[in-house]
Amino acid sequence: MDYQQHNWINKYLMPGEYVVWNGRPGKGNLLTPYDIFMVPFSIIWCGGAIVWETAVLTMPTPFFFKLWGIPFVCVGLFMVFGRFILKSYIREQTIYVITNKRIFSFKKNQIHTLDYHMNPTRNVTRYQDGTGTIRFYSTPTFNVFFNPMQSFNQNNQYFELENIPDVERVLKILSN
């Protein structure tokens, strides 16, 4: 959905704001650094749940035991396969728009915006195919003395342009 063909983006723009780039996440690069932990864990989880369920189904065990393993197998299958399918589906529904003032992320029913001039803290992951992910981190707050959990949660929030094609071009746009 190109913003020039469909003027749907205009209702979100402020006076004097104009679009300088729009795009969608690419289809590849589903593995992230987070998956270094998640892939082995999910395989162990799913394998253990399948072994449990197979054992209770083939042996004379109470009916409750046979039911007990089903949710664990389902969670295991989601961790091994389903999360990648879900991630691909969400990427297909996502549109990124960069204006001269803000970044928009449209994911299905959700709209997220970020004033990237006010939030310069970013991390860039570049992939060999020229795509990349740009992650903007919120600036730390000093509420730790008043509410430690609120400060902890705010420090972990981020805004992300995930797996975008030609990440170097987008970085140059964000530098202006």
Side-chain angles (χ1 to χ4, degrees):
M1 184 182 308
D2 188 5
Y3 75 92
Q4 292 174 338
Q5 294 173 354
H6 306 281
N7 290 327
W8 58 269
I9 186 67
N10 291 336
K11 66 182 174 182
Y12 300 105
L13 300 180
M14 298 184 300
E17 189 173 20
Y18 56 90
V19 174
V20 293
W21 180 86
N22 77 316
R24 292 180 174 271
K27 294 188 185 285
N29 302 319
L30 289 175
L31 291 174
T32 64
Y34 169 74
D35 292 314
I36 292 171
F37 166 74
M38 276 305 295
V39 168
F41 177 77
S42 64
I43 291 170
I44 291 169
W45 176 289
C46 190
I50 290 172
V51 166
W52 164 275
E53 194 62 25
T54 303
V56 297
L57 288 175
T58 57
M59 296 170 40
T61 56
F63 183 69
F64 175 75
F65 283 14
K66 296 175 195 243
L67 292 178
W68 180 257
I70 293 172
F72 293 95
V73 171
C74 291
V75 168
L77 290 172
F78 177 79
M79 287 192 303
V80 172
F81 303 109
R83 63 193 179 100
F84 297 113
I85 295 168
L86 179 63
K87 190 179 213 180
S88 293
Y89 174 75
I90 290 172
R91 281 185 180 179
E92 288 175 9
Q93 307 298 317
T94 301
I95 299 171
Y96 300 127
V97 176
I98 299 176
T99 69
N100 59 325
K101 297 180 181 181
R102 298 180 287 172
I103 302 173
F104 290 88
S105 173
F106 297 92
K107 293 182 182 185
K108 293 190 72 167
N109 305 6
Q110 299 179 348
I111 301 170
H112 299 277
T113 62
L114 173 75
D115 182 351
Y116 61 92
H117 297 293
M118 299 296 291
N119 196 343
T121 307
R122 62 183 85 151
N123 181 22
V124 180
T125 304
R126 293 172 178 87
Y127 304 110
Q128 292 179 352
D129 62 356
T131 63
T133 297
I134 305 171
R135 184 176 283 175
F136 297 85
Y137 292 94
S138 63
T139 41
T141 59
F142 296 101
N143 293 337
V144 75
F145 298 109
F146 302 110
N147 188 348
M149 288 311 292
Q150 179 184 5
S151 180
F152 174 76
N153 291 336
Q154 287 176 350
N155 289 339
N156 288 326
Q157 292 178 354
Y158 61 88
F159 186 95
E160 180 174 73
L161 298 174
E162 183 184 24
N163 202 39
I164 52 176
D166 198 7
V167 70
E168 295 302 326
R169 179 173 170 246
V170 174
L171 284 170
K172 286 178 186 175
I173 290 169
L174 294 172
S175 298
N176 295 335

